[in-house]
Amino acid sequence: MAKKIGVTMEVGNDGVAVITISNPPVNSLASPIISGLKEKFQDANQRSDIKAIVLTGNGGRFSGGFDINVFQQVHKTGDISLMPEVSIDLVCNLMEDSRKPLVAAVEGLALGGGLELAMACHARVAAPKAQLGLPELTLGVIPGFGAFQVDIVRGGQKFGLVDALVPSGELLSTSRKWALDIALGRKPFLRSLHRTDKIGSLSEARAILKDTRQLAKKIAPNMPQHHACIDVIEEGIVHGGYSGVLKEAEVFKQLVMSDTAKALVHVFFAQRATSKVPNVTDVGLKPRPMKKVAVIGGGLMGSGIATALLLSNTRVVLKEINPDYLQKGIKSVEANLKSLVSRGKLTQDKAGKALSLLKGVLDYAEFKDVDMVIEAVIENIQLKQKIFKEIEEICPPHCILASNTSTIDLNVIGEKLTQKIAFPAHIMTLLEIVRTENTSAQVILDLMSLGKAIKKVPVVVGNCIGFAVNRTFFPYTQGAHMLVNLGVDLFRVDRVITSFGLPLGPFQLGDLAGHGIGMAVKEIYAKAYGNRMFRSPLTELLVKSGRNGKINGRGYYIYEKGSKPKPDSSVLSVVEESRKLTNIMPGGKPISVTDKEIVEMILFPVVNEACRVLDEGVVIRASDLDVASVLGMSFPSYRGGIIFWADTVGPKYIYEKLKRLSETYGGFFKPSRYLEERAMNGMRLSEPKASSRSRM
Ligand SMILES: CCCCCCCCCCCCC[C@H](O)CC(=O)SCCNC(=O)CCNC(=O)[C@H](O)C(C)(C)COP(=O)(O)OP(=O)(O)OC[C@H]1O[C@@H](n2cnc3c(N)ncnc32)[C@H](O)[C@@H]1OP(=O)(O)O
């Protein structure tokens, strides 16, 4: 059924006009909605039978904000005129300065422009679970409907953003009465843009703005929108609310066209596109409920997976090999839940309920009626094969057998099985659901549904060593090791990469993950991708010197409780030993590189491997790999993800740079066929492939 888009107005016998926004699923402020609002507000202000106005949203949601599809159109066409020039006309003239009182009845959510419309009203009545927010910064823009000109931009009744909280069933009636009370002078007729009672002196304001500018420089050095917010707030404080709204519209227009906005809007839609899997989500299948799930292995990953499942109200059977390990695993789950409670993310009551769904076992007796088994033991192929062979005899036919492996080829784990199996890999925000040629569409759908239930972002990927993320990023650490063996300071490498936007540089990341893991899987990668790997002895030497990483307080950095990691200068002797063994410094002298070259020598090989991932069809679409790089490797979202960023830099430039580097430093930098083809033909890396070669 076609969705109903528009703005309606119903006038009651009480003389109150209820104006309702309708644009499923989130009542976004698309062009027809904005013109409909202008028409209804004009009409309501002219009609003598209307004393007051209530604004609300259809379907239990007020409004999810301005239509982000318009941003995407502007980015595709470069035509900024697609953006409505409405701030002053709609928000100021027709709402703020309306002769008749306007009350917002807010249910569900009021985000971005949705919240700004509510703020332009003369009062706001909300239902208890309403979500209020200004997420524009996450899209690379700023609120463009005057939010920053209202002197209360924080949520909740306490700060005056919401005047009353009432149960959903009383929302409209309370809002109507509130609007009438304002019309009859029984409640104040407050125009936000005119309010200055909460603004201090100019000097006080300027001091706060100065500190805020310092903070913005620190937390968002690479993004313009945070600094732009401060500029428009200052404009409003110094020159008044109306000037501030005009400044917002002007700055909004500039930011919409910024690279940051293009990247963040791309990631917004890319993340939602991952839910669309051809021949899985478009063939009428329904996901099956996962009522009871077994987790084998109560270590860091197993207990984390068990915790996520329990929080989604799933019964969990946690199996370990002996009572000590089992007790440790259960304690880890308890600690995970306790940490959520202490951080205010979970009530004590819900934590108790979640824990009541957990059962620890030492054998497979409880596996007879499980809907799924997730193996989360150490990365040992024989052990994994043995476990799956054992449980295949016991589990019911419909049961999904899954592994948490982040590296091992699934066909190898499952080679001794007769059953069809599927394997979700790493559980973080990103959930790579890895499919083999044996995995049915139904199982994929079940896993996608379970992934969403445990608040992850599922991305369906093909089967190869490292799957999508770890495969794409294996050159990340190796490029850094090459630079250090070429004489570049390792702490400088980390600083440059964090300045680029990754939260941790490659060396600090290695400390965090633990260097033992890297060594355990090194041979698996060498067997699969050896012809293009840089083999560095640095990790082995580091571990041999007693430095396993954060886990034992020392790696490349020193880790002391309560303080930030400190570079460990004593590690440089280990680095020197590695440099002697690799002996790759030209003429025995350290190379001289710029910061830009450090970024290129580390991330261009990653782009190169990403091209091979696209070429082999390991992902359905390039934007899935962007999402996977952002959520799985913390690649900066404001650069759009690994492929989006590479297309911004330019495939030809990357290809030529890699070609020159490979002539100097060897096969690690050798451009892939996919990259060469696209560079030579002037094609973007994200353009879908013509051929259908795929691992899916
Ligand atoms: C000549 C030119 C002059 C120019 C001058 C400029 C003047 C200014 C004019 C513009 C003023 C701008 C005003 C405002 O300040 C700017 C904004 O409002 S920006 C948008 C702010 N809102 C958001 O960021 C919210 C984004 N959405 C979400 O966070 C979530 O979707 C949700 C709302 C919390 C709902 O979450 P879920 O229930 O999980 O659902 P999904 O996320 O899967 O979404 C479902 C479906 O809806 C689509 N969608 C969601 N939000 C929007 C949106 N704001 N616009 C369009 N579409 C939206 C989403 O893509 C999904 O679609 P599907 O995948 O199902 O097709």
Side-chain angles (χ1 to χ4, degrees):
M1 189 175 73
K3 66 180 188 179
K4 189 175 173 307
I5 299 178
V7 179
T8 57
M9 181 165 82
E10 287 176 20
V11 184
N13 299 329
D14 56 0
V16 174
V18 177
I19 295 176
T20 304
I21 300 167
S22 182
N23 183 14
V26 301
N27 293 336
S28 58
L29 303 175
S31 191
I33 300 296
I34 290 181
S35 46
L37 285 169
K38 285 167 68 175
E39 181 201 320
K40 293 295 184 286
F41 286 133
Q42 278 158 352
D43 188 17
N45 266 293
Q46 279 151 18
R47 283 177 52 170
S48 58
D49 60 331
I50 292 175
K51 298 185 194 114
I53 307 160
V54 168
L55 174 66
T56 192
N58 193 23
R61 284 175 155 173
F62 188 76
S63 169
F66 187 70
D67 181 358
I68 304 174
N69 294 293
V70 177
F71 295 159
Q72 201 174 41
Q73 284 310 311
V74 168
H75 295 159
K76 275 186 184 145
T77 60
D79 180 4
I80 186 66
S81 69
L82 292 171
M83 290 295 299
E85 183 85 71
V86 292
S87 303
I88 287 292
D89 194 13
L90 173 62
V91 171
C92 300
N93 303 342
L94 290 168
M95 297 181 73
E96 284 275 351
D97 292 347
S98 161
R99 284 182 294 103
K100 298 175 184 176
L102 197 44
V103 172
V106 181
E107 193 170 20
L109 50 80
L111 299 175
L115 176 56
E116 291 175 284
L117 291 184
M119 289 159 84
C121 295
H122 308 110
R124 284 147 296 280
V125 181
K129 292 193 177 166
Q131 284 176 298
L132 308 178
L134 293 169
E136 285 87 340
L137 294 183
T138 64
L139 296 168
V141 293
I142 62 169
F145 272 159
F148 284 127
Q149 305 317 316
V150 170
D151 58 323
I152 330 122
V153 286
R154 290 182 302 281
Q157 206 167 356
K158 186 180 160 199
F159 295 103
L161 188 56
V162 170
D163 299 280
L165 273 178
V166 299
S168 292
E170 298 166 22
L171 185 64
L172 263 189
S173 56
T174 307
S175 303
R176 303 177 82 108
K177 184 174 179 315
W178 200 293
L180 277 177
D181 284 350
I182 297 173
L184 299 171
R186 291 198 287 256
K187 284 191 186 306
F189 197 148
L190 295 173
R191 290 184 166 79
S192 312
L193 277 182
H194 296 255
R195 286 183 65 177
T196 56
D197 52 310
K198 290 205 169 44
I199 297 180
S201 69
L202 198 50
S203 55
E204 187 187 26
R206 283 216 153 109
I208 293 169
L209 291 167
K210 182 170 177 283
D211 293 346
T212 312
R213 282 201 165 90
Q214 291 306 324
L215 182 63
K217 266 200 196 95
K218 193 159 164 277
I219 60 173
N222 298 335
M223 288 188 273
Q225 66 271 31
H226 299 72
H227 306 271
C229 290
I230 302 163
D231 296 341
V232 299
I233 290 171
E234 183 164 35
E235 177 74 16
I237 289 172
V238 174
H239 300 291
Y242 287 89
S243 303
V245 174
L246 285 170
K247 176 84 175 173
E248 277 188 22
E250 176 203 325
V251 169
F252 187 94
K253 207 169 23 175
Q254 292 156 6
L255 288 173
V256 160
M257 296 307 282
S258 67
D259 285 343
T260 304
K262 289 172 184 168
L264 289 167
V265 169
H266 166 73
V267 169
F268 176 87
F269 286 112
Q271 191 163 318
R272 283 151 184 82
T274 60
S275 302
K276 297 169 177 84
V277 180
N279 306 316
V280 173
T281 55
D282 55 3
V283 291
L285 289 173
K286 293 273 175 288
R288 295 172 299 182
M290 294 287 142
K291 296 194 179 81
K292 182 178 176 185
V293 175
V295 176
I296 301 178
L300 178 67
M301 297 316 292
S303 58
I305 293 167
T307 307
L309 289 165
L310 293 168
L311 291 170
S312 68
N313 277 328
T314 307
R315 286 167 55 208
V316 174
V317 173
L318 181 62
K319 183 193 176 290
E320 257 297 356
I321 50 171
N322 63 50
D324 284 354
Y325 283 8
L326 180 58
Q327 202 46 33
K328 262 192 201 158
I330 292 172
K331 288 263 176 257
S332 298
V333 173
E334 287 169 349
N336 292 343
L337 294 170
K338 195 170 165 211
S339 158
L340 289 169
V341 172
S342 59
R343 284 184 287 134
K345 303 255 184 215
L346 189 70
T347 63
Q348 188 57 53
D349 178 46
K350 285 194 174 159
K353 185 176 180 314
L355 205 51
S356 70
L357 298 171
L358 176 64
K359 182 168 186 181
V361 298
L362 294 170
D363 59 37
Y364 293 125
E366 281 285 340
F367 283 46
K368 293 191 194 67
D369 61 345
V370 292
D371 300 306
M372 182 170 165
V373 177
I374 302 175
E375 166 272 313
V377 301
I378 55 170
E379 291 290 77
N380 175 303
I381 293 176
Q382 292 68 29
L383 176 59
K384 291 177 186 289
Q385 287 176 334
K386 174 176 173 293
I387 287 172
F388 281 110
K389 198 62 202 146
E390 288 167 350
I391 60 177
E392 190 186 27
E393 314 298 325
I394 298 159
C395 297
H398 76 280
C399 175
I400 295 171
L401 304 182
S403 165
N404 178 55
T405 181
S406 58
T407 302
I408 301 170
D409 184 323
L410 308 178
N411 289 322
V412 171
I413 300 177
E415 70 184 8
K416 298 189 184 326
L417 288 182
T418 49
Q419 238 206 44
K420 292 178 178 31
I421 52 181
F423 295 83
H426 213 314
I427 285 254
M428 273 171 66
T429 305
L430 170 71
L431 176 66
E432 283 182 280
I433 295 179
V434 187
R435 65 195 298 183
T436 68
E437 57 282 357
N438 296 328
T439 312
S440 71
Q442 181 65 59
V443 165
I444 293 290
L445 191 68
D446 295 341
L447 293 172
M448 290 175 74
S449 171
L450 178 72
K452 287 182 181 159
I454 60 175
K455 302 208 182 339
K456 307 303 169 185
V457 176
V459 176
V460 178
V461 300
N463 180 32
C464 65
I465 297 298
F467 315 128
V469 173
N470 289 348
R471 159 102 185 256
T472 297
F473 279 87
F474 84 74
Y476 175 70
T477 305
Q478 294 183 10
H481 278 229
M482 181 182 283
L483 279 164
V484 166
N485 281 288
L486 283 166
V488 180
D489 173 60
L490 76 93
F491 302 115
R492 177 190 173 203
V493 169
D494 272 4
R495 284 195 305 274
V496 166
I497 294 298
T498 47
S499 299
F500 172 82
L502 279 102
L504 296 178
F507 296 101
Q508 195 174 347
L509 182 64
D511 276 359
L512 183 69
H515 297 292
I517 289 184
M519 285 164 61
V521 297
K522 196 169 187 176
E523 287 320 310
I524 298 173
Y525 279 89
K527 204 168 154 207
Y529 313 121
N531 63 338
R532 52 185 185 270
M533 283 177 66
F534 173 69
R535 309 293 298 262
S536 159
L538 184 51
T539 304
E540 282 79 1
L541 294 169
L542 193 76
V543 171
K544 213 164 75 182
S545 72
R547 295 177 171 89
N548 291 322
K550 185 176 183 186
I551 196 163
N552 76 337
R554 294 191 78 178
Y556 295 102
Y557 297 79
I558 294 169
Y559 299 86
E560 283 154 354
K561 202 167 172 56
S563 57
K564 285 188 178 173
K566 294 188 202 71
D568 179 2
S569 54
S570 69
V571 83
L572 297 179
S573 58
V574 178
V575 171
E576 279 312 314
E577 203 179 334
S578 179
R579 285 171 178 163
K580 283 198 186 79
L581 288 170
T582 51
N583 190 27
I584 57 170
M585 285 194 280
K589 293 204 177 338
I591 62 168
S592 164
V593 282
T594 63
D595 288 358
K596 182 168 179 278
E597 285 168 328
I598 288 175
V599 170
E600 292 175 351
M601 288 177 76
I602 290 178
L603 289 179
F604 284 4
V606 171
V607 170
N608 205 21
E609 195 61 30
C611 287
R612 295 185 180 98
V613 165
L614 296 182
D615 197 17
E616 294 171 25
V618 177
V619 290
I620 295 167
R621 53 185 80 84
S623 63
D624 283 6
L625 195 52
D626 285 329
V627 173
S629 67
V630 169
L631 298 180
M633 191 59 197
S634 301
F635 190 87
S637 55
Y638 59 82
R639 294 186 190 275
I642 190 70
I643 294 295
F644 187 93
W645 171 70
D647 276 333
T648 308
V649 171
K652 196 162 185 302
Y653 175 80
I654 295 173
Y655 166 74
E656 287 168 353
K657 187 78 180 186
L658 283 172
K659 195 161 181 305
R660 282 199 299 278
L661 286 166
S662 66
E663 285 155 7
T664 310
Y665 299 111
F668 176 72
F669 293 103
K670 187 172 183 300
S672 62
R673 179 178 61 119
Y674 182 98
L675 174 60
E676 182 174 10
E677 271 172 16
R678 302 264 162 151
M680 292 303 111
N681 298 324
M683 288 171 67
R684 298 171 67 77
L685 301 180
S686 58
E687 280 177 46
K689 281 173 47 183
S691 65
S692 59
R693 185 160 80 118
S694 167
R695 284 179 181 261
M696 289 303 218

